[in-house]
Structures are given as C-alpha cells and as structure tokens.
Amino acid sequence: MNKIKYLLMAAVALLAVACEESNADYRDVVYITGTQQKNTIRKGFEGNDCVELSLTCTAKVTEEIKGTFEAAPELLTAYNEANNADYVLPPTNAYSIEDAQVAIRPGHFVSTVAKLMIADPTQFEEGKNYCLPVRVKSDGNLLEACSTAYIVFVPIITTEVADINGKAFLVPGFRNNEDLGHFAQLTMECKVYVNEFQSRNPYISTLMGCEENFLLRFGDVSCDKDQLQLAGGKTGAPSWDQPDKGTAHPTTFPTHFPTKKWCHFACVYDGKEINMYLDGEPMGDPVKATGEISLVWSYDYGTSYGDNNGPFAIGYSAGGRHLNGYVSEFRVWRVARTPAQLLNNICYVDPKTEGLVAYWRFCGTDQQEDGSILDQTGHGYNAVARSSAPAWIPNHKCPY
C-alpha cells in the first residue's frame, strides 16, 4: 500500500513541475492585422497607391498600446527559401512608410493606420516579383508569429486579350521535334475566360495540348461540360515519337467552373506526379506518374499535314472542339513551376526565364503579318491560325 502511495505522490509532483515549466501565457495578444492565417499580403496597384497597416488586439484594451512599423529587407532571403519563391526587394526610393507609429486607444482593439506608400510605380520592372517584409515593434504582448507581414506588390497590367471563339491555333514547330519529346518535367499554363461551354456531344472545349496524348480541356461524355480534364496524360512511352504508347493518366478534376470569369490553370509534372493548379492553388489530388512526356504527336483529324499526326494546338482538338472564350498567357515549360511562381506570373513572365519553351501572350501586339501568334521566347514556335486571326478585346486588367 505504501508503495502505491509513494508512486501517486511522485506522479503529482511531476505534474506540478510540468505545469510550472510550461509557463502558459493566456494574456491577450496584439498582431499585424490580417496575418492570423497567412502573413503574406498581396497588393495590386496602378500608379501611386498604398497598403494600410495596423495592429489588432484580441480584446479591447484598457491602456494605450503603441507599435511602430519598419521595413525589414533582411528577412526576404529566408522567406524565399521557405516558400520556394524568387521575390526581389523593391528599390528603396520606390516606397516609404508614413505614420509609422500607431496606437490602439483604450476601449478599442484596432490601432490607427500606418501607410506603406508606393511612391514611384515606375521603379517596378515588368517580369520581376517584388516583396517587402515589414515588421512591427510594440510595447504590447506581441504575438511573434504575426509580427511580420510580407507585402507582395502586384502591378496591374492593362492589355488586350484574344477572342478565339470557333478559331484554332496549331504549333507546327512542335510536330515530330525530338527536342520536345523528352520532358522529364513539364508545366503547361494558360489564362482563360469561358463565354459558353459546348452544348453538343461530346461537350468538349479545348484549352491546349495534344489530342489523345497530353491535353487540357473542359468537358467530355464522361463528365460535365464545365469540368476540367487532363485527357491522355501519357508518360513513359518507349520512344519519344510514339507517346501514344505511354502510360495514360486521364484525370477529371472535381471543380465545376462558371462562365464569364477569368481563371489561370497550370498542369505541373515534376517527374513523380501530376498536379493541377487554379490561380496558384492546388485543385484535386496529385496523380502518380513516372517517365518522360512527349509533345511531338497528336492524333488529330482535319490538319493539313496529310495524316493523323497533328501538332500541339490551342483551342482545338480532334478536328474541332473549339473553345468559346477569351485567352491570354499560354506557356509551355520543361521545368515544374512552383505554386508561388504560378501565382506571381499570371499576367506576364520574362520570355528569357530558364526552362520556358514556348510563350504565346495573345496580347494583340504579338500577332504577325500572317495572322500567327508570336512565340515570345524566340524559339520560333509561333501559333498558326488554322482559319483566321482572333478578335482582340481591349483594356483587360490583369490580375482579373
């Protein structure tokens, strides 16, 4: 009996020590407003603009709490490494912090406002992704995890987009090109606005790729017309010029998409799995896959090449199945782009970026005299209009 008594006494003593060592702090805390779930704040801007910064307390304060915001550029390298991103700092003369000292007055739980001013928007170069870490110092009980905000600057671009309703674009330079038959990794991405989904069997609206090989499209007889599909999804073919003999990974993604709304889609293969992204966020489950992808072959009736081996195409497959909508920013990469890279380059990417194979902006100024759409990379993979050039829709703001 005494032995049991001593064991119980020892357990109580250990529990008491554990509670003392935990030193739990249940006081109300203050943090940068808007950073509770994610400390990245994205700011779209045109011309001079500002980001409002404030402190929030988890309860109304009885005594004034002060805080001071300051730029913390030294934190960017670690942030890039943690998020697999490639942000650069804005030039110091492109921004300023006004009214940096803020205060939460008694009886309130949100502070006065500091302003991160975009002083000179001309300092932001197209194709670069800018981020400025901003931290706060406070005499309150500051929640350390929410004491820094990473401000991502998103310039709003005004451009034209292409209306390709009933029109198709073929990329003959891809056809039987061995250099494009060995993708150990692959990213295909595009920005799309659907006016109407197809209402006739087989209910397919094509985005981009190679029919019965590796093709992004909406709809099929096997799914609803507003669902996205990876048709074929073939990897690991025994020969680069016979991709149809690879292992298929056809996938229908569960989301049902609306009409008359811009979406950015990206299909990313990293050599181990295929992932689909909507506006930089994953959709659906990863699909396990191995082996190379070839984009040199498409089973495609109706081309002018004398057989059924058609080229990579945009807005077209199997002799039709057109997309009724607007398009912009179509790209093919031989690398697996990260979610951060996808999100930060929805509107534009530097054509000389490593791994970029072909880039069709569909921005109006890239239409050539023969009606084809220029490949911005300089690799010569122009997208040839199968029937006629697109109509151009002016004054499109991107992002959305």
Side-chain angles (χ1 to χ4, degrees), residues 64 71 124 154 158 196 207 242 261 310 379 382 389:
E64 183 177 81
F124 293 85
V154 184
T158 301
E196 297 291 342
L207 300 183
Q242 293 181 311
K261 182 181 185 298
H379 297 155
N382 289 4

Side-chain angles (χ1 to χ4, degrees), residues 233 235 247 249 269-274 287-291:
T235 66
T247 301
H249 304 90
Y269 173 60
D270 63 4
K272 297 179 181 178
E273 60 185 27
I274 300 169
V287 178
K288 297 296 182 183
T290 58

Side-chain angles (χ1 to χ4, degrees), residues 215-277:
L215 181 74
L216 287 180
R217 68 189 188 189
F218 286 113
D220 189 21
V221 294
S222 64
C223 68
D224 291 335
K225 61 185 179 182
D226 59 357
Q227 286 184 275
L228 190 68
Q229 270 198 340
L230 172 61
K234 292 179 179 177
T235 66
S239 172
W240 67 269
D241 57 351
Q242 293 181 311
D244 56 312
K245 300 187 185 304
T247 301
H249 304 90
T251 306
T252 299
F253 299 94
T255 305
H256 292 262
F257 289 94
T259 58
K260 306 187 186 309
K261 182 181 185 298
W262 280 100
C263 297
H264 177 271
F265 298 109
C267 182
V268 180
Y269 173 60
D270 63 4
K272 297 179 181 178
E273 60 185 27
I274 300 169
N275 283 278
M276 196 72 202
Y277 294 88

Side-chain angles (χ1 to χ4, degrees), residues 281-293:
E281 295 291 335
M283 54 178 290
D285 296 323
V287 178
K288 297 296 182 183
T290 58
E292 293 183 332
I293 294 172

Side-chain angles (χ1 to χ4, degrees), residues 127-312:
K128 288 186 177 181
N129 300 310
Y130 292 93
C131 176
L132 179 68
V134 175
R135 67 180 161 219
V136 68
K137 295 181 178 179
S138 175
D139 57 8
N141 184 26
L142 188 63
L143 182 62
E144 188 64 28
C146 298
S147 64
T148 303
Y150 295 86
I151 313 300
V152 175
F153 298 95
V154 184
I156 296 174
I157 297 172
T158 301
T159 184
E160 290 184 307
V161 295
D163 180 350
I164 65 167
N165 182 20
K167 298 170 184 176
F169 296 85
L170 310 180
V171 187
F174 273 40
R175 185 175 186 261
N176 294 335
N177 182 341
E178 184 174 358
D179 185 51
L180 305 180
H182 302 281
F183 285 91
Q185 296 185 335
L186 174 70
T187 300
M188 297 197 316
E189 57 178 323
C190 56
K191 189 163 164 275
V192 178
Y193 177 104
V194 178
N195 284 314
E196 297 291 342
F197 292 105
Q198 296 297 339
S199 58
R200 298 175 61 183
N201 189 300
Y203 311 105
I204 291 174
S205 304
T206 307
L207 300 183
M208 65 190 302
C210 301
E211 172 71 19
E212 294 197 14
N213 176 9
F214 210 93
L215 181 74
L216 287 180
R217 68 189 188 189
F218 286 113
D220 189 21
V221 294
S222 64
C223 68
D224 291 335
K225 61 185 179 182
D226 59 357
Q227 286 184 275
L228 190 68
Q229 270 198 340
L230 172 61
K234 292 179 179 177
T235 66
S239 172
W240 67 269
D241 57 351
Q242 293 181 311
D244 56 312
K245 300 187 185 304
T247 301
H249 304 90
T251 306
T252 299
F253 299 94
T255 305
H256 292 262
F257 289 94
T259 58
K260 306 187 186 309
K261 182 181 185 298
W262 280 100
C263 297
H264 177 271
F265 298 109
C267 182
V268 180
Y269 173 60
D270 63 4
K272 297 179 181 178
E273 60 185 27
I274 300 169
N275 283 278
M276 196 72 202
Y277 294 88
L278 169 63
D279 298 335
E281 295 291 335
M283 54 178 290
D285 296 323
V287 178
K288 297 296 182 183
T290 58
E292 293 183 332
I293 294 172
S294 174
L295 296 181
V296 306
W297 182 96
S298 174
Y299 180 79
D300 211 343
Y301 291 111
T303 64
S304 58
Y305 296 96
D307 57 28
N308 292 334
N309 185 354
F312 186 97

